[in-house]
């Protein structure tokens, strides 16, 4: 399992490099902090080749998990806290 952890700090250049890396490398799981959010919508990931998991109950969306397509995951969102 290949895991990537990144703190994007809302920077478009870092987000672009991140997207390029996850599309070129065999990244199975990405732990993402401070993704680009606008009006509770995640922006900037484009063709992400995976499922983005986050707690939709949280109005301060800051932490996300990107799981590659083909990996079985079961989000336990009822344990989320804001």
């Amino acid at each position: 399992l290949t895991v990537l952890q990144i703190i994007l700090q809302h920077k478009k250049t870092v987000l672009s490099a991140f997207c390029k890396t996850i599309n070129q490398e065999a990244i199975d799981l990405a732990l993402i902090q401070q993704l680009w959010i606008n009006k509770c919508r995640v922006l900037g990931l484009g063709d992400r080749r995976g499922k983005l998991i986050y707690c939709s109950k949280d109005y301060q969306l800051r932490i996300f998990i990107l799981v590659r397509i083909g990996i079985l995951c079961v989000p336990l969102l009822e344990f989320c806290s804001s």
Side-chain angles (χ1 to χ4, degrees):
L1 191 65
T2 306
V3 179
L4 173 68
Q5 188 272 336
I6 189 166
I7 300 172
L8 295 172
Q9 297 180 344
H10 313 288
K11 305 284 187 202
K12 290 182 183 180
T13 54
V14 177
L15 179 59
S16 176
F18 168 73
C19 289
K20 185 176 179 181
T21 300
I22 62 171
N23 286 329
Q24 290 179 346
E25 305 294 327
I27 304 297
D28 298 314
L29 188 70
L31 308 173
I32 310 166
Q33 289 178 298
Q34 298 183 1
L35 193 53
W36 183 18
I37 305 296
N38 187 7
K39 297 180 183 176
C40 294
R41 289 186 48 217
V42 177
L43 303 173
L45 284 180
D47 180 23
R48 59 181 174 249
R49 299 182 187 177
K51 180 178 181 179
L52 191 64
I53 300 169
Y54 58 93
C55 181
S56 60
K57 298 176 192 175
D58 190 357
Y59 295 104
Q60 300 285 336
L61 297 173
R62 296 176 59 85
I63 300 171
F64 304 83
I65 301 171
L66 181 63
V67 180
R68 182 178 52 83
I69 294 173
I71 294 180
L72 178 63
C73 72
V74 180
L76 301 173
L77 299 177
E78 61 269 15
F79 297 109
C80 288
S81 61
S82 49

